[in-house]
C-alpha cells in the first residue's frame, strides 16, 4: 500500500514537471498552459511599440489595442486569453496553407522545383529578388512565390479555385471562414506592385497562365477573416501531422507536414526569420494583419493577434507573447534533454 502511494506521488510530480517543461501535448497540464497564457497576456498588454500596416489602407483602421492569444494542443484542447472574438485579415499567413494545398495536390517537388524553398534575403515583395534568379529561388512565403503557388492550385475556373482554397483554410480552422470584403477591395485597389510581381513570374515561366487571376485570388486569400482561435487551430493541425485535432479531419497528408514546416522555419517572419528561429526554434508565419502562428510539432499550435508591427513587419506583442509561452511550456523542438 505504502509503495503504491509513493509511486502515485512520483507519477504526479513527474507529470507536473513535464507539464511545465514540455514533452508531449498529453503531458502539458491545463494549469501550466493557462498560467503561461495569463502571464504573457498581462506582461505585454500595455506595450505600446509598433504600428499598424498602412500600405493597405483598410489595415490602418484596425484597432491597435486588439490583443488575443490562443493555444490548441494536439489532443484538441483549446486555451484562450484576451480578445479572441475579433477577427483580422489573415494576410501572409494564408501563404502557408495555399502552399500546403499545392503540395497536397502535386507533391513537394512541385514547390521546390518551381519557385524554390530558400530564403531570398530580400523583402517579401522584392522585385530585385525576382530579377536576381529569374523568379527561381523564391520561396512560397514571399509574394512572388506565394502568387505562383496560388496559380498552381488546380481548377477549371476562378470560382472553382477560390472555393477550394477557402474550403481548405476552413478545414484547417475547423469552421467556415469568410472574406473581409473591405480589406479585399482596399488591397485590390492598391496592389499594383503585386500585379507587377505576378506578371514578372509569368514572364519567367513560373506562372503558366493568367497571372492577373493568380494575383487577384492571392489578394482575396489574404483577406480571409480569422480570429486567434482559428489561427491556433490551423497551427495545431500542422502540429498534429495534418489532422485537425479539434474536428478530427485529416486536412494535409502527414508525409507533407515537414515540408510545410521547413519553409515556415526558413522564411516565416520576413527578414527576421533567422532571429525568430534562433530565439524560439518554432516554425511560424506572420502576416501584416497582425497575426502570427507558430507550431510546436507534436505538442501545440499557438497564435497571437495584435496589429502593431515592428520594422520587419512582424507583430510586436505576438512575437513576445509566443516566445514566452513556448518557453514556459518547453515548445522548442530543438531543445532536447541529454540521454543519460
Ligand atoms: N496581402 C499582403 C501583400 O501581399 C500580404 C503581406 C503580408 O502579410 O506579408 O502585400
Amino acid at each position: 500500500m505504502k509503495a503504491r502511494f509513493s509511486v502515485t506521488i512520483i507519477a504526479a510530480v513527474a507529470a507536473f514537471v513535464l507539464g511545465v517543461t514540455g514533452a508531449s501535448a498529453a503531458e502539458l497540464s491545463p494549469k501550466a498552459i493557462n498560467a503561461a497564457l495569463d502571464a504573457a497576456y498581462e506582461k505585454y498588454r500595455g506595450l505600446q511599440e509598433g504600428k499598424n500596416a498602412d500600405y493597405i489602407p483598410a489595415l490602418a483602421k484596425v484597432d491597435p489595442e486588439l490583443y488575443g492569444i490562443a493555444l490548441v494542443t494536439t489532443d484538441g484542447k483549446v486555451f484562450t486569453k484576451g480578445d479572441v472574438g475579433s477577427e483580422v485579415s489573415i494576410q501572409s499567413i494564408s501563404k502557408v496553407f495555399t502552399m500546403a494545398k499545392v503540395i497536397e495536390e502535386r507533391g513537394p517537388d512541385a514547390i521546390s522545383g518551381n519557385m524554390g524553398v530558400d530564403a531570398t534575403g530580400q523583402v517579401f515583395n522584392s522585385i530585385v529578388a525576382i530579377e536576381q534568379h529569374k523568379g527561381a529561388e523564391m520561396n512560397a512565403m514571399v509574394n512572388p512565390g506565394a502568387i505562383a503557388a496560388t496559380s498552381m492550385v488546380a481548377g477549371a475556373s476562378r470560382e472553382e479555385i477560390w472555393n477550394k482554397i477557402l474550403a481548405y483554410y476552413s478545414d484547417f480552422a475547423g469552421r467556415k471562414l469568410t472574406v473581409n470584403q473591405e480589406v479585399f477591395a482596399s488591397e485590390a485597389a492598391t496592389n499594383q506592385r503585386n500585379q507587377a510581381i505576378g506578371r514578372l513570374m509569368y514572364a519567367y515561366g513560373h506562372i503558366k497562365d493568367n497571372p492577373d487571376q493568380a494575383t487577384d485570388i492571392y489578394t482575396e486569400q489574404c483577406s480571409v477573416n480569422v480570429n486567434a482561435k482559428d489561427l491556433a487551430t490551423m497551427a495545431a493541425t500542422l502540429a498534429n501531422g495534418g489532422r485537425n485535432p479539434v474536428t478530427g479531419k485529416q486536412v494535409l497528408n502527414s508525409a507533407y507536414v515537414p515540408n510545410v514546416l521547413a519553409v515556415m522555419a526558413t522564411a516565416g517572419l520576413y527578414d527576421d526569420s533567422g532571429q525568430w528561429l534562433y530565439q524560439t526554434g518554432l516554425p511560424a508565419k506572420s502576416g501584416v494583419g497582425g497575426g502570427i502562428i507558430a507550431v510546436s510539432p507534436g505538442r501545440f499550435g499557438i497564435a497571437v493577434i495584435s496589429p502593431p508591427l515592428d520594422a520587419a513587419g512582424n507583430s510586436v506583442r505576438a512575437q513576445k507573447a509566443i516566445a514566452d509561452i513556448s518557453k514556459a511550456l518547453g515548445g522548442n523542438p530543438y531543445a532536447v534533454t541529454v540521454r543519460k
Side-chain angles (χ1 to χ4, degrees):
M1 190 66 187
K2 198 171 163 209
R4 219 159 102 212
F5 182 65
S6 325
V7 169
T8 313
I9 297 273
I10 290 165
V13 170
F16 174 77
V17 170
L18 286 167
V20 174
T21 59
S24 75
E27 293 152 346
L28 283 172
S29 82
K31 202 172 156 204
I33 296 173
N34 279 319
L37 265 58
D38 288 353
Y41 182 78
E42 293 304 335
K43 189 168 168 193
Y44 301 117
R45 191 154 58 145
L47 194 69
Q48 293 297 329
E49 284 171 35
K51 192 171 153 299
N52 281 29
D54 57 7
Y55 75 100
I56 299 170
L59 298 186
K61 296 194 298 186
V62 179
D63 179 5
E65 292 305 322
L66 197 168
Y67 180 30
I69 305 178
L71 184 148
V72 178
T73 58
T74 49
D75 57 353
K77 297 195 181 75
V78 178
F79 300 84
T80 62
K81 182 75 187 173
D83 194 351
V84 281
S86 297
E87 297 175 325
V88 296
S89 52
I90 189 169
Q91 295 300 334
S92 270
I93 300 170
S94 68
K95 291 165 174 165
V96 171
F97 302 96
T98 295
M99 179 181 71
K101 183 73 184 162
V102 173
I103 294 177
E104 182 79 17
E105 287 186 354
R106 299 172 183 244
D109 294 352
I111 289 290
S112 57
N114 188 9
M115 71 286 285
V117 292
D118 283 308
T120 64
Q122 305 277 356
V123 293
F124 73 96
N125 58 2
S126 171
I127 305 268
V128 170
I130 303 176
E131 287 300 313
Q132 211 169 11
H133 299 285
K134 295 192 166 42
E137 306 290 324
M138 310 293 311
N139 66 77
M141 300 297 107
V142 293
N143 288 13
I147 296 169
T150 300
S151 80
M152 294 166 79
V153 175
S157 65
R158 187 202 187 283
E159 196 190 356
E160 188 187 333
I161 296 166
W162 171 248
N163 288 340
K164 266 170 64 177
I165 290 174
L166 188 61
Y168 199 57
Y169 293 6
S170 299
D171 282 345
F172 272 98
R175 73 165 180 121
K176 207 168 177 331
L177 300 175
T178 57
V179 171
N180 183 325
Q181 294 297 342
E182 191 196 348
V183 170
F184 182 31
S186 178
E187 184 166 356
T190 53
N191 71 347
Q192 290 76 17
R193 189 182 179 90
N194 282 343
Q195 292 175 37
I197 287 173
R199 288 183 180 202
L200 258 182
M201 290 299 276
Y202 177 57
Y204 286 126
H206 299 284
I207 292 178
K208 296 287 173 245
D209 189 25
N210 210 342
D212 292 350
Q213 175 177 290
T215 305
D216 189 46
I217 297 176
Y218 163 79
T219 306
E220 189 164 8
Q221 78 179 41
C222 288
S223 310
V224 169
N225 261 336
V226 282
N227 60 38
K229 185 184 157 203
D230 297 327
L231 288 177
T233 310
M234 294 171 98
T237 300
L238 293 171
N240 190 39
R243 182 182 300 237
N244 185 318
V246 179
T247 65
K249 182 165 183 172
Q250 190 74 42
V251 185
L252 172 66
N253 186 328
S254 62
Y256 302 146
V257 170
N259 302 107
V260 173
L261 296 181
V263 182
M264 291 170 72
T266 305
L269 263 74
Y270 307 109
D271 298 348
D272 278 348
S273 300
Q275 278 283 359
W276 171 261
L277 199 63
Y278 190 74
Q279 302 294 344
T280 67
L282 300 179
K285 184 72 197 90
S286 67
V288 293
I292 299 185
I293 62 169
V295 177
S296 180
R299 295 172 183 162
F300 57 80
I302 182 169
V304 175
I305 290 176
S306 167
L309 312 177
D310 65 12
N314 300 308
S315 165
V316 179
R317 282 189 189 127
Q319 289 175 86
K320 291 180 186 294
I322 293 173
D324 278 19
I325 293 166
S326 175
K327 191 165 182 203
L329 301 177
N332 188 333
Y334 298 125
V336 293
T337 47
V338 177
R339 186 189 289 264
K340 292 268 162 51

